[in-house]
Amino acid sequence: MEKSTRTRAYLYLLTNFSLWGCLYVLSKFVLDKLPLFTVACLRYVIAVAVLLTVVHVRKLGKIERGDWKYVFMVGFLGYFLSLGAQLIGTKLSNASLASLVNSTNPVFIMVMAAVLLKEKLTVRKILSILLALAGVYIILGGGAAGAQWAGIVISFFSVVLWSFVSVYVRKITQKYPPLLVTAYGMLVAAVCNLPIAAVELARTEQVSFDAQALVALLAMGVFCTGAAHLLWNQSLSMLEASTCSAFYPIQPLVSVVLGIVFLGERVSVSFVAGSILIVIGVLVCVAAPPAAKGKKVS
């Protein structure tokens, strides 16, 4: 793979995880006004509207009839079931512990990529992920002692599903443009979320859908959902899944930084120490050794 292509993929990943980090701050604001699955549904509706418009303008073609089952799997297992389980797990435990569980995604993706895609488990990849995970653990303070086990189990279920889907996306995006897979996968998720959101709205007495909520939802749908997932799928089509997963710890790092800036949270010694470990972990992964430069990445 050319150096310029690899650099572009790294920029995609940095942007992607920064946008996912922004999602936590926006979600905290919107969820005070709208029910959980209603927010999830509206996110996908907005993202799908934008992505399908781009698909139509760019004339990217269609998914072959025999491959729709794979796109449905990405949308149902990944965008609907996995991310829905993540929200439920967060609600049943707490945001700190759920974030810590979510940070184990690189480990599961690395293992599944080795099993399903035959990617090599190099010492460099393992070391980078361990360093980054240690940084996340330090920042989050090790979770909360009083968290409920149901939330932990559901959060791990979400991580396993998402890791499987991420590895599979790398495979399917070798045949179809990532934009096409992302758009139709999210369409599946939007349809799956719709009946749950309808029931949720019918049972919710206080709903505040004002201009501020609309702006936040638009940002969540267009940037944090549509653009972010597109960049993730694009990166998976360019780099090994295990390499992409090494950038995962950037997400909670960005989330904490935004919390400090917009929510008035304080900078602690653990945040600084953890941030340093995360940065070192990512650098260890992306800094290719001299002997590997210029080699084709499978």
Side-chain angles (χ1 to χ4, degrees):
M1 177 182 290
E2 296 181 0
K3 184 177 180 180
S4 60
T5 302
R6 180 176 288 274
T7 300
R8 190 168 71 253
Y10 291 156
L11 290 174
Y12 288 163
L13 288 166
L14 285 171
T15 305
N16 163 51
F17 285 109
S18 295
L19 289 173
W20 278 348
C22 294
L23 184 62
Y24 283 94
V25 176
L26 289 170
S27 296
K28 186 172 182 178
F29 173 76
V30 176
L31 289 174
D32 288 336
K33 299 174 178 290
L34 298 170
L36 191 150
F37 281 97
T38 300
V39 172
C41 183
L42 290 174
R43 281 175 58 194
Y44 285 126
V45 168
I46 294 169
V48 167
V50 174
L51 292 176
L52 286 182
T53 299
V54 178
V55 166
H56 177 72
V57 171
R58 294 180 59 182
K59 298 180 180 179
L60 294 180
K62 299 180 179 180
I63 304 291
E64 294 179 10
R65 186 174 181 179
D67 291 332
W68 270 106
K69 57 181 176 290
Y70 304 121
V71 175
F72 177 82
M73 182 182 71
V74 170
F76 180 76
L77 295 182
Y79 298 145
F80 171 63
L81 200 57
S82 174
L83 296 185
Q86 182 186 65
L87 291 173
I88 295 173
T90 301
K91 187 175 182 179
L92 292 178
S93 56
N94 57 68
S96 180
L97 185 59
S99 296
L100 185 60
V101 173
N102 187 57
S103 70
T104 62
N105 261 301
V107 177
F108 284 94
I109 290 177
M110 182 176 65
V111 172
M112 288 190 180
V115 175
L116 300 177
L117 300 179
K118 309 303 180 184
E119 294 183 5
K120 293 181 179 179
L121 290 175
T122 64
V123 174
R124 178 180 294 271
K125 289 178 181 178
I126 295 173
L127 177 61
S128 68
I129 289 174
L130 290 177
L131 284 170
L133 286 177
V136 171
Y137 186 85
I138 290 173
I139 289 176
L140 296 177
Q148 298 182 11
W149 277 104
I152 299 174
V153 172
I154 293 175
S155 294
F156 269 113
F157 172 72
S158 168
V159 167
V160 173
L161 268 185
W162 182 253
S163 300
F164 170 76
V165 170
S166 295
V167 169
Y168 195 84
V169 163
R170 170 161 173 77
K171 191 173 183 179
I172 196 173
T173 50
Q174 302 303 307
K175 183 175 182 180
Y176 297 105
L179 177 57
L180 205 60
V181 175
T182 307
Y184 286 117
M186 287 192 174
L187 178 59
V188 171
V191 172
C192 291
N193 270 297
L194 188 59
I196 302 176
V199 173
E200 191 177 50
L201 279 174
R203 294 181 176 181
T204 303
E205 296 181 359
Q206 294 183 347
V207 175
S208 178
F209 193 77
D210 54 21
Q212 291 180 329
L214 178 60
V215 171
L217 278 171
L218 286 172
M220 290 172 65
V222 176
F223 300 108
C224 301
T225 303
H229 282 281
L230 174 59
L231 290 171
W232 173 243
N233 291 347
Q234 183 69 50
S235 301
L236 286 170
S237 71
M238 300 166 71
L239 299 172
E240 290 185 339
S242 53
T243 300
C244 293
S245 71
F247 286 74
Y248 244 99
I250 292 175
Q251 179 179 329
L253 173 61
V254 171
S255 181
V256 172
V257 170
L258 291 176
I260 293 170
V261 174
F262 294 104
L263 302 178
E265 298 177 357
R266 297 181 179 180
V267 179
S268 63
V269 175
S270 62
F271 173 75
V272 175
S275 299
I276 292 173
L277 284 177
I278 289 174
V279 172
I280 293 175
V282 173
L283 289 176
V284 167
C285 179
V286 302
K293 291 182 179 180
K295 288 187 178 183
K296 182 179 179 181
V297 178
S298 56

